[in-house]
Amino acid sequence: QQLLKYLMMSYKGTLLFIAKCLTITLEEKNRKEIEKQLKTTEIDWDAVVKVSTGHYVFPALYCNLKRVNFLKYLPTDLVEYMIYFTDLNRERNTQIIAQAKEINELLLENKITPIFIKGTGNLLEGLYEDIAERMLGDIDLILNKRDAKKADKILRDNKYSSHSVVPDNFRHLPRLTKLNKIAAIEIHTDLLIEEYRDEFNYVLIEKDVQKINHAHVMGFESQLALSILANQINNDHFKYKDIFLRNAYDVFVLSKKTNTKTAFNKFNKLKHPLNCFLAICFEVFNKPKSLEYNNTLKVTKHLNTFNKKLNNPAYRKIINQGIEGKIRLSIIYKSLFDKEIRIWLIKRITDKQWQKEKLVQLGLKT
């Protein structure tokens, strides 16, 4: 029991320490508290590396510590590793930006205006002080359905190809890759799962699109919403009542660009999950004013469950396993009545790459 208590406090303390560090460039109170902690407390740096890399914020952690001259408090070998890792990510992002600009020019030449979303849009608009702060995989853009099919053909004609499968009504077309290009391309026609598309869609974001650095990106309110919903809704994190720091850091940075208390007034069904994640961010980042949210009894209940899971690893594991089981059963049940889902599910479970990934996850293959 004492060991469990120690592990629990270790993870919670590590998560909150990392989160607070991510704000020290812009939050003076947190900067002072972190400096005091670094001077007076023995930090478990192995845990910090493990949690920050798991949440994809290791480069952002380094960049924030560097900007306020706190690297002097860290072990020398750790700083060297952080520099190495961050330099690699900066080089990768430099290549991703160049690739995204090529795609932008190619589509514009063909009378198609892509709106870049998620991490790609953030990089192209210059959201971060250092492009190395954001870790990302694919280049994401959104178009209306007609232009999406046309753009897909144009990219395929330019030596992009696809080996993935998605349901016919999925958010994006099959991922496209190209030899010697660093990132895959996802052409989205929708932003969210079908249940919420009537509230947050291409028609809505097109109204406040911005042109920054010759690229079209979402307006700040829409960026803020998608930074939350991409994980909370599309990846079921709202059900899990948890936080992924990469998205949370985007939310924090974007909160300096727009008013979080009014940004979601246009939504109905989505307003609650949006405010719930803001509440979690507000607490985890140590109550910055820019992350103030509209509190309700339901939001408080959601936040209480989040805190209970953060405080109790055993409870977190039980809840997460139960939700995962329900999600899998739901997909199987829907496939019995929905031909598109059934076809996708069959293609998915017979896909060799998917089978390999699952065997690795189960420890049956290395």
Side-chain angles (χ1 to χ4, degrees), residues 62-328:
Y62 165 75
C63 290
N64 276 278
L65 291 168
K66 181 184 178 183
R67 279 196 288 265
V68 297
N69 195 30
F70 283 179
L71 295 177
K72 59 191 175 185
Y73 300 120
L74 277 61
T76 304
D77 58 344
L78 173 59
V79 174
E80 290 174 354
Y81 177 65
M82 294 178 98
I83 292 171
Y84 170 75
F85 192 99
T86 305
D87 284 348
L88 283 178
N89 197 53
R90 185 181 295 106
E91 173 56 30
R92 173 180 169 78
N93 284 352
T94 299
Q95 293 180 52
I96 287 176
I97 290 170
Q99 186 181 353
K101 287 180 177 178
E102 283 180 12
I103 292 166
N104 188 47
E105 290 177 11
L106 176 63
L107 295 181
L108 288 174
E109 287 172 2
N110 286 274
K111 306 282 191 287
I112 297 174
T113 303
I115 302 173
F116 290 93
I117 61 176
K118 300 184 181 181
T120 312
N122 296 350
L123 289 179
L124 288 172
E125 75 182 32
L127 182 64
Y128 314 102
E129 288 193 37
D130 188 332
I131 63 168
E133 292 179 49
R134 183 55 150 82
M135 296 184 70
L136 69 156
D138 302 327
I139 292 174
D140 293 281
L141 58 94
I142 187 168
L143 295 163
N144 62 47
K145 287 181 171 59
R146 182 190 68 255
D147 284 343
K149 290 180 180 178
K150 185 178 175 184
D152 182 76
K153 183 178 185 307
I154 290 167
L155 289 172
R156 289 175 187 270
D157 290 343
N158 280 268
K159 299 183 179 179
Y160 278 89
S161 61
S162 178
H163 303 286
S164 64
V165 293
V166 298
D168 290 341
N169 199 30
F170 199 56
R171 297 184 299 278
H172 59 76
L173 302 181
R175 296 167 77 246
L176 296 167
T177 57
K178 184 177 180 178
L179 188 65
N180 298 324
K181 290 298 181 181
I182 196 164
I185 315 301
E186 287 190 354
I187 302 174
H188 290 249
T189 54
D190 288 290
L191 297 164
L192 301 180
I193 58 176
E194 197 167 2
E195 181 182 351
Y196 298 99
R197 289 177 188 173
D198 59 330
E199 284 200 0
F200 194 38
N201 49 44
Y202 178 81
V203 173
L204 177 73
I205 67 168
E206 189 183 28
K207 294 176 182 176
D208 66 347
V209 68
Q210 308 177 85
K211 187 177 181 181
I212 303 177
N213 298 329
H214 307 292
H216 291 81
V217 298
M218 300 166 71
F220 290 128
E221 286 189 356
S222 294
Q223 284 183 54
L224 181 67
L226 186 59
S227 295
I228 295 173
L229 298 172
N231 252 6
Q232 291 294 297
I233 296 299
N234 291 340
N235 297 336
D236 291 308
H237 282 229
F238 177 65
K239 295 176 183 175
Y240 288 96
K241 298 177 177 62
D242 61 9
I243 188 170
F244 187 47
L245 286 179
R246 181 179 67 173
N247 295 74
Y249 182 58
D250 286 349
V251 168
F252 170 71
V253 177
L254 285 164
S255 75
K256 304 299 181 180
K257 305 278 188 183
T258 189
N259 188 327
T260 55
K261 292 197 77 171
T262 60
F264 308 139
N265 287 346
K266 57 180 170 287
F267 297 118
N268 183 20
K269 291 180 291 186
L270 290 169
K271 189 179 293 186
H272 176 59
L274 287 163
N275 273 309
C276 284
F277 192 75
L278 275 183
I280 290 174
C281 289
F282 183 75
E283 295 296 326
V284 168
F285 287 130
N286 199 26
K287 299 179 173 60
K289 188 174 178 59
S290 63
L291 284 172
E292 289 182 347
Y293 60 97
N294 295 301
N295 200 2
T296 66
L297 288 175
K298 288 174 68 178
V299 170
T300 299
K301 183 179 179 181
H302 186 94
L303 185 59
N304 288 341
T305 304
F306 165 78
N307 285 322
K308 186 176 179 181
K309 289 180 66 178
L310 189 62
N311 287 326
N312 191 329
Y315 176 75
R316 181 167 66 246
K317 184 176 181 180
I318 291 169
I319 294 298
N320 288 354
Q321 287 177 340
I323 294 171
E324 287 169 3
K326 287 180 181 178
I327 291 170
R328 291 192 187 102

